[in-house]
Amino acid sequence: MNHTEFVPQSNRTCSKLALGVVTVIFFLTNCSNDNQTIVPKTIDPSASQEITSAVPEPIAIASPLLKEVDTDPSGASFPKTDLASGRLGSTTDFVDFANEQGLSLIPDKAINQFATSPFYMHPVGNAWVHVEENSGGDYFPKFISKRGFYHLPYQNFTPCYPGDGTTGKPSGKNCVPILNPEKENRTLYTHDGKQWIKVYANDHNTSKRVFDLLSINVLNGPIQLVYKKENGGWFHLASLSNGKKNISAHTTGITEVLISSAQGTSGIQIDNLEIRMPSN
């Protein structure tokens, strides 16, 4: 593989995104509760599950990090429920943005479809998989975004707004309260095409768990992946189009994944990150 410095692509038109994709529109003027109106894409749970076209070969790249920092996991936020322990072998699960514990940790349980710090986390085996905005200061600026949130739109319905500042769920001709937002299926949608999402895993003793990212369901792409191998090498998958992508030939034995738009022109939507977590 050739070793190159990776520069995100941002000067392309967004017309390619319209092919075979239902447009998802966000009407946001700011992050206040009074102006949070999202029209998410309603997803058929059976849609986009078949593995589609071939994945491009990754390219070795220079590290996006200014410096390596090993975070102390003792200060991390975790749900109250203990992690699985004493497991033999590995565990495979889908990070589907619908875990009740993970949603409960987000302020207001993301009832308004906004995920803010500590963002979403999902238990896989004896580790927590974190999915957060990459806003830290240890990366080169082109890999950082500071929106302060991303979207977790409801998967199976478009919310309604009764006019009292709350977010509701359609029921016939009525708009009823969402009583348990942590029980509703979600997907992840970035705020715009410049936002970077970081995926990593840890537990109460280890800040950087090694894991395998076997597949990812791209609902609105194309997306790009930048990931780090356990041996410290960084690689770039330049463009993954819509559909479930089997990337297991490349993204095993990794400690981190950065995800963003491959075109930089509009937000991306993803779901069902299939992760295999070895026992530590």
Side-chain angles (χ1 to χ4, degrees), residues 44-55:
D44 179 350
S46 65
S48 303
Q49 293 303 303
E50 184 177 352
I51 294 178
T52 58
S53 58
V55 173

Side-chain angles (χ1 to χ4, degrees), residues 60 66 83 190 206 223 277:
L66 292 165
L83 294 165
T190 60
T206 307
I223 68 171
M277 189 68 60

Side-chain angles (χ1 to χ4, degrees), residues 184-229:
E184 300 289 349
N185 293 335
R186 314 291 188 106
T187 63
L188 184 152
Y189 202 104
T190 60
H191 180 61
D192 55 38
K194 305 295 184 182
Q195 187 169 35
W196 283 92
I197 301 298
K198 178 180 178 179
V199 181
Y200 65 99
N202 63 8
D203 56 37
H204 295 287
N205 301 307
T206 307
S207 62
K208 293 182 179 179
R209 290 287 299 272
V210 178
F211 63 95
D212 303 330
L213 177 58
L214 303 179
S215 67
I216 183 171
N217 197 13
V218 182
L219 299 172
N220 192 46
I223 68 171
Q224 58 180 318
L225 300 182
V226 175
Y227 58 94
K228 182 182 180 182
K229 286 283 193 176

